[in-house]
Amino acid sequence: MAAVPDPAGVDAGRDPTGVDAGRDPTGVDAGRDPTGVDAGRDPTGVDAGRADAQGYAADWARAVRRLGFVPLSAAETERLLLVHTIRLAQAVRAEPFTARPAEEVGAALVEAHLTEPQALDWTVHALGADFPRRVLAATDRPADLADRMAALQGGLAAGFARALRDRTFSQQERIARSAWQARDEVEQALRDSEARFRAVFTGAAIGIGIADVEGRIVDVNQAFADMLGYSIEELCETNVAALFHADDAVGMWELYQELVEGKHESARVEKRYHRKDGSMVWTDLAVSLIRHDDGRPRYTVAMIEDITQRYELQQRLRFQALHDPLTGLPNRTLFFETLGRVLDGAGTGQRVGVCFLDLDGFKAINDSLGHDLGDQLLVMIGHRLNACVADHGHLVARMGGDEFVILVDGGDDVDDAVAVAEAALAAVAAPVHVGDHQLAVSASVGIVQCPAEETSPSELMKAADTTLYWAKAAGRGQWAVYDPERSARDIARSALVAGLPAALDRGEFVLHYQPIVSLLEGSMLAVEALVRWEHPELGLIGPDRFIGLAEETGLIVRLGEWVLRQACHDAERWWRDFPDARLVVSVNLAARQADDPTIVETVADALHTSGLPADLLQLELTESAVMGSADEPLRSLYRLAALGVRLAVDDFGTGYSNLAYLRRLPIHCLKLAGPFVEGIRADSAADHRDERIVDALVRLAHALELWVTAEAVETGEQAERLRALRCDTGQGRFFGAPAPAGAITARLRGDVSV
């Protein structure tokens, strides 16, 4: 029985560079020059002014790191390849000459896990093209240098292939025979060595195929044949054009023609092939051109990896990102992408419209029958809306909550959009059987229809939102058409806009706090400050009614400063009265606040004035606020972090989701967006895709040493699943609704009735 190789390809306890642990990675004693020769001497043994082994090794290291995964650091890679450069240089000058050192270098590359096929391609090409000129001085070049270099090329390829096969298939005898056969061919046909050296890859784990410039397949390995379900003999009687997928064939043949004409040296694409049984396989295809000595194209060498599973996963993730997890309808993101394409591609005079629909009294249904039945109702309504416009090709999307939108592409006038709205209302109005309940549901629809060239996605939806408000004000089951004049009157902004500054002066705003609880211990670790407006006429108004107005008018900076100072004041009192709790207060910063040049000074003064320790204040910013107005990370974040306050990204996963800024910026916590948590339910789909997304986000955050808070935790089942996923803290009505500061004080005091 053949010996089982070490799974890493090297003996346990050995350095990943392929040398014994405890020894210098270059194979020379500590204290000596890293090239393995005495200081002051050129590593190739020739005049340093005429040879550049160090530079050649550095280029070699950069190439292999650019072309594939390398398990070593840049310095280790360069040091290892310098040793191999020296070894090859010594082999060229050795008497008697042998290509054995080159074989050992090829094997050493595999042992060090430098197995990217394109890296080997670069290595062999560079050995023949650049090595003599850069590494060997003129006086050290044997008369038969060309023969020796060709033999070294073949030897290196053969050693690489033999080691790769040993590690991959444990079929040492077959690999050795193939490698020696390839080496013999290289030594017997020096001029063809570059074009045919990859024939040793017949046992490689990825598919490799060689074709002539006419597209006729010359040779393939078994992996290639297995991938497409053919025998090697069948493929060798086939032209590559016959394997192209019908939808890719034209573009692929043009790319192939440009390659064989010498316009490109290589190409890499993701493409489809048909298997022999008719099924489809997605592949990562890398094609390189092999030339004659006179430069004429001779062969193309293709390396193909089956990425079907990865591609399907990407498609599933894209579907999840662009579709509502509850109803399966396109979500807000996909709707706006589609609307943008329609407007950008619209011709002169083409009209576009939207029907913005909101269920009447859905909150009462949710509150009385529960969220599960409410979700079932939303699913049924979504299916009905999709069915009623399916014959017309209109897009139906769920915008969130109980809001749906229908994109009416085309139509001669507003009557076409009205007809769609009436069909939607009729579909919604039919009795709905949910569980043991029969529900009578109605909806309101805002209709906007106008020439596509006169609007934009944001303007269109803003008008639709305004019109939906008109329809709701008119009563249940109504539709309203956008009226620019009425909108202009409304934009004059009502009493709320006028009353905001005075309300702030009169102290009409109050803070409520929602607990943030440890999922492991159940203790309250923090609270989020949420502002409310105690309007003298309208009563307690939620932030959804006035925060947007404050942002539009610029009052958000002043209002946000009041919230920050009041929250610090309340938190300092909790810290003083309950020092062991060390309760953190989390304050939201709007994008305009975060972008304000005085934000750092404002936060520092609020901490100083209140006496609150900086580490008990957390500032929450949305992903868009973190990136700033120019899509660049806010410079003030580092200064805020320097104060000692904690920084959190709110609603993570709904904005940029830019992983790069997470490791560059001083972020302490990620707050997972509510839609991800909503998908974690006892009745969720069998594949639990939302749960896997949350799991991935938690693992990512922990890998970056970030704290994770799940928002919108509504049920015990959600809390338990989040705890199993090792999410740190949870926030939502399951742990407590937003309440005045006194309720938090009572909770800290241990009043179980709160």
Side-chain angles (χ1 to χ4, degrees):
M1 177 179 297
V4 179
D6 183 83
V10 296
D11 293 337
R14 297 187 66 188
D15 185 87
T17 59
V19 297
D20 291 340
R23 295 181 57 193
D24 184 87
T26 62
V28 297
D29 295 336
R32 299 184 63 190
D33 184 87
T35 61
V37 296
D38 293 337
R41 294 183 56 195
D42 180 79
T44 61
V46 297
D47 183 358
R50 293 177 293 166
D52 185 18
Q54 187 77 45
Y56 182 87
D59 289 346
W60 192 359
R62 281 191 291 270
V64 299
R65 292 183 67 81
R66 183 181 70 253
L67 295 173
F69 170 75
V70 177
L72 310 177
S73 68
E76 288 173 332
T77 305
E78 182 174 340
R79 186 165 50 185
L80 174 66
L81 296 182
L82 176 59
V83 173
H84 295 328
T85 301
I86 295 169
R87 197 170 188 183
L88 292 171
Q90 292 170 342
V92 173
R93 303 193 315 273
E95 295 295 346
F97 169 76
T98 174
R100 181 63 181 175
E103 297 176 34
E104 296 172 352
V105 169
L109 293 178
V110 175
E111 188 175 5
H113 301 285
L114 307 180
T115 55
E116 173 63 39
Q118 288 181 305
L120 176 62
D121 187 16
W122 188 95
T123 300
V124 174
H125 275 287
L127 186 60
D130 296 335
F131 189 90
R133 173 179 56 81
R134 295 185 59 182
V135 179
L136 299 176
T139 56
D140 288 326
R141 299 175 185 174
D144 59 346
L145 176 61
D147 293 342
R148 293 191 180 198
M149 294 308 302
L152 289 180
Q153 288 177 280
L156 189 146
F160 182 96
R162 184 161 55 251
L164 182 62
R165 289 183 174 184
D166 286 345
R167 191 181 71 178
T168 307
F169 296 101
S170 298
Q171 297 177 349
Q172 293 84 346
E173 181 178 352
R174 176 186 173 192
I175 303 301
R177 184 169 59 251
S178 298
W180 278 106
Q181 179 182 352
R183 181 180 176 186
D184 290 340
E185 291 174 357
V186 169
E187 292 175 345
Q188 293 171 8
L190 295 178
R191 289 183 179 273
D192 293 336
S193 61
E194 265 188 38
R196 299 302 304 271
F197 81 92
R198 292 190 203 129
V200 299
F201 280 9
T202 52
I206 64 172
I208 304 177
I210 303 173
D212 62 19
V213 294
E214 301 299 328
R216 292 185 295 268
I217 296 177
V218 175
D219 197 7
V220 298
N221 66 349
Q222 190 61 49
F224 190 110
D226 292 343
M227 188 184 307
L228 299 184
Y230 292 91
S231 68
I232 293 177
E233 292 74 17
E234 288 174 323
L235 287 173
C236 288
E237 297 175 356
T238 304
N239 192 289
V240 294
L243 302 176
F244 295 161
H245 189 277
D247 294 338
D248 299 338
V250 176
M252 282 303 303
W253 185 248
E254 292 176 353
L255 179 64
Y256 188 79
Q257 284 297 111
E258 292 179 355
L259 191 69
V260 299
E261 290 170 4
K263 295 180 180 179
H264 307 290
E265 292 298 319
S266 62
R268 186 166 186 171
V269 294
E270 290 187 0
K271 74 169 306 295
R272 292 166 289 181
Y273 285 101
H274 281 300
R275 292 190 178 98
K276 186 178 180 180
D277 62 6
S279 60
M280 185 181 68
V281 56
W282 274 95
T283 67
D284 184 349
L285 170 65
V287 185
S288 299
L289 178 65
I290 304 298
R291 298 177 180 271
H292 286 280
D293 288 345
D294 60 4
R296 289 180 295 113
R298 183 170 177 79
Y299 296 111
T300 57
V301 178
M303 297 186 180
I304 306 177
E305 179 184 3
D306 185 345
I307 61 167
T308 303
Q309 291 184 344
R310 186 178 78 194
Y311 180 83
E312 291 174 348
L313 175 60
Q314 291 173 342
Q315 294 301 104
R316 288 197 298 271
L317 291 176
R318 174 170 172 78
F319 183 89
Q320 290 176 0
L322 298 178
H323 290 78
D324 173 47
L326 178 64
T327 64
L329 293 174
N331 62 10
R332 184 184 190 90
T333 300
L334 181 54
F335 171 77
F336 276 103
E337 286 184 3
T338 306
L339 178 58
R341 287 196 300 270
V342 169
L343 295 180
D344 291 341
T348 302
Q350 183 174 339
R351 301 181 69 84
V352 65
V354 294
C355 296
F356 197 10
L357 180 146
D358 181 270
L359 299 184
D360 298 324
F362 179 74
K363 184 179 184 301
I365 296 175
N366 243 2
D367 293 343
S368 60
L369 301 181
H371 290 282
D372 289 343
L373 287 178
D375 286 347
Q376 294 178 45
L377 173 61
L378 290 175
V379 171
M380 297 181 68
I381 294 299
H383 289 169
R384 287 185 178 184
L385 292 175
N386 202 35
C388 78
V389 300
D391 293 340
H392 303 283
H394 301 317
L395 174 71
V396 179
R398 183 188 178 200
M399 300 297 281
D402 59 340
E403 294 179 342
F404 298 85
V405 64
I406 302 173
L407 175 60
V408 184
D409 184 9
D412 297 328
D413 51 40
V414 73
D415 290 340
D416 296 305
V418 169
V420 172
E422 290 179 338
L425 290 176
V428 171
V432 180
H433 296 275
V434 181
D436 297 331
H437 303 274
Q438 177 172 317
L439 304 177
V441 183
S442 65
S444 301
V445 182
I447 304 170
V448 181
Q449 217 253 18
C450 62
E453 58 191 8
E454 297 179 4
T455 188
S456 67
S458 59
E459 291 173 349
L460 197 61
M461 288 309 299
K462 184 177 180 181
D465 189 44
T466 300
T467 310
L468 174 61
Y469 178 79
W470 299 343
K472 278 194 167 296
R476 292 173 175 263
Q478 301 293 315
W479 55 263
V481 177
Y482 180 69
D483 178 359
E485 294 183 0
R486 179 178 177 181
S487 177
R489 291 193 300 269
D490 288 349
I491 293 176
R493 258 338 178 215
S494 72
L496 284 181
V497 176
L500 272 172
L504 191 56
D505 293 336
R506 291 192 297 264
E508 293 178 359
F509 292 95
V510 297
L511 289 185
H512 285 189
Y513 296 90
Q514 185 168 36
I516 299 174
V517 176
S518 169
L519 289 172
L520 180 62
E521 300 174 357
S523 58
M524 182 172 62
L525 302 180
V527 292
E528 181 178 358
L530 302 169
V531 66
R532 303 287 189 264
W533 184 359
E534 289 187 330
H535 196 282
E537 298 176 3
L538 303 177
L540 192 66
I541 300 177
D544 56 317
R545 295 278 302 277
F546 61 87
I547 288 295
L549 300 177
E551 290 179 339
E552 292 176 11
T553 59
L555 190 65
I556 190 65
V557 175
R558 185 178 164 203
L559 177 60
E561 181 177 349
W562 177 86
V563 171
L564 173 67
R565 294 184 181 277
Q566 183 62 40
C568 288
H569 174 76
D570 291 341
E572 190 278 335
R573 188 172 64 254
W574 291 324
W575 173 64
R576 187 176 62 251
D577 295 344
F578 309 96
D580 293 337
R582 295 204 55 85
L583 189 67
V584 174
V585 64
S586 193
V587 178
N588 289 283
L589 288 187
R592 184 172 292 188
Q593 276 184 276
D595 209 26
D596 189 281
T598 65
I599 184 62
V600 178
E601 290 73 20
T602 300
V603 172
D605 186 68
L607 291 171
H608 175 74
T609 303
S610 66
L612 179 69
D615 62 341
L616 296 185
L617 173 62
Q618 176 171 276
L619 300 177
E620 294 187 20
L621 301 90
T622 62
E623 294 181 61
S624 58
V626 167
M627 296 306 293
S629 58
D631 289 346
E632 290 291 334
L634 288 174
R635 299 178 181 177
S636 58
L637 290 181
Y638 292 99
R639 297 175 59 203
L640 287 170
L643 294 177
V645 302
R646 294 171 52 84
L647 297 176
V649 178
D650 194 18
D651 288 332
F652 181 74
T654 61
Y656 288 80
S657 295
N658 187 332
L659 302 183
Y661 74 74
L662 291 182
R663 61 183 178 85
R664 298 201 319 266
L665 298 181
I667 304 300
H668 300 86
C669 174
L670 296 183
K671 299 191 72 175
L672 300 184
F676 293 123
V677 179
E678 288 177 10
I680 303 179
R681 301 184 305 274
D683 62 337
S684 58
D687 56 6
H688 300 294
R689 287 178 289 184
D690 284 294
E691 185 169 339
R692 291 200 297 270
I693 292 174
V694 171
D695 184 28
L697 292 176
V698 171
R699 290 175 182 270
L700 168 66
H702 285 172
L704 296 173
E705 299 182 348
L706 301 178
W707 196 262
V708 184
T709 297
E711 298 182 295
V713 181
E714 302 289 339
T715 67
E717 290 83 0
Q718 289 175 324
E720 188 59 36
R721 290 195 184 187
L722 289 166
R723 183 182 299 111
L725 295 175
R726 299 181 65 188
C727 186
D728 301 300
T729 54
Q731 177 182 356
R733 292 191 175 272
F734 176 74
F735 299 111
I744 301 301
T745 301
R747 187 162 177 168
L748 288 170
R749 191 178 294 119
D751 188 347
V752 296
S753 64
V754 178

